[in-house]
Amino acid sequence: MRSMSEDAARVAAALQDEIWSALPAGAPPFAWNRRSGFLLAQVAPGDAVLDLGCGEGAFSAALAEAGARPVGVDVAEAAIRGARERHPDLDFRPAAPGEPLPLEDGAVDAVWASEVLAFVPDTARVLSEVRRVLRPEGRLLVTTPSHGRVRALVRGLDADLDPLGPALRFYTRGSLRATLEAFGFDQVSVRGAGGAPLLRETLLARARRAPLLTPAARR
């Protein structure tokens, strides 16, 4: 019997597949300059990078052009089909909802999870998998919508917390930091971007997979 979290993962994946099926082919990613600029500033030529929630592969293509070695993964079958059609020379892999990511342990130097964490029903499973596929001290790069107090006061909750929308998680700068630290990441930095200073639209986060402490190091 499937667990409730597995059922939720399948429902969320089906919704993402429906969204990608309805989008025009090759539609530019939201806030492209903001997100791609943040990503490319954090990776180096030769880095193996997991593009988690890769969509049609625009960020994977930018990574490859910068000399990195991307692997794109998505639960939406329509997104993977589009990515393979648009970028046939790159590596795109479907992910089964609620299942382990299709990569080996410690396979990548960095994970790019842009506009992903807000849409997953099981944050613990996703971040545990991210940690598994990262090499020791590898980097996690996250973007997600910002939901700070001032923004909520000015815009109202209805503007962002749509009960019929695809978003499932709503992060502030503090809650995103706390979540990443809770799942074994350190050197966490989170900043806002886009919009007015007190009304930032996006959170940009960088974190390191914290090294495991040996018994000797604990003493």
Side-chain angles (χ1 to χ4, degrees):
M1 179 180 296
R2 294 199 303 256
S3 69
M4 290 182 63
S5 64
E6 290 171 332
D7 287 339
R10 285 171 171 79
V11 170
L15 178 58
Q16 289 300 315
D17 199 54
E18 183 178 336
I19 290 170
W20 279 104
S21 295
L23 285 174
F30 163 77
W32 169 256
N33 290 337
R34 181 190 311 161
R35 295 160 67 196
S36 62
F38 174 62
L39 169 63
L40 297 178
Q42 308 294 329
V43 299
D47 281 350
V49 183
L50 168 59
D51 182 1
L52 183 60
C54 63
E56 289 189 327
F59 291 103
S60 288
L63 285 164
E65 186 175 349
R69 296 177 291 120
V71 176
V73 171
D74 207 297
V75 295
E77 295 178 5
I80 291 295
R81 286 195 302 271
R84 288 172 171 171
E85 289 171 2
R86 295 180 63 80
H87 310 287
D89 54 330
L90 299 183
D91 184 357
F92 296 104
R93 307 176 189 180
E99 299 295 327
L101 293 171
L103 288 89
E104 300 296 323
D105 295 359
V108 296
D109 300 295
V111 172
W112 170 240
S114 184
E115 310 306 297
V116 169
L117 293 184
F119 305 98
V120 296
D122 192 340
T123 305
R125 183 191 292 271
V126 170
L127 288 179
S128 295
E129 276 296 290
V130 165
R131 182 179 170 84
R132 179 184 67 80
V133 303
L134 272 173
R135 66 167 175 78
E137 302 186 26
R139 305 179 303 285
L140 171 59
L141 307 171
V142 172
T143 80
T144 197
S146 176
H147 295 281
R149 292 182 181 179
V150 174
R151 184 177 177 86
L153 287 172
V154 172
R155 288 170 50 87
L157 294 177
D158 289 345
D160 292 328
L161 309 186
D162 180 1
L164 299 180
L168 303 174
R169 311 289 175 190
F170 304 93
Y171 290 97
T172 66
R173 191 177 299 188
S175 68
L176 180 56
R177 174 187 295 276
T179 299
L180 298 181
E181 290 175 344
F183 284 93
F185 294 90
D186 67 6
Q187 298 184 7
V188 180
S189 65
V190 184
R191 62 182 175 88
L198 295 178
L199 300 170
R200 295 304 189 192
E201 299 170 353
T202 304
L203 297 176
L204 308 177
R206 184 185 189 279
R208 181 186 72 158
R209 176 186 164 178
L212 294 174
L213 293 178
T214 64
R218 294 192 185 101
R219 289 199 293 268

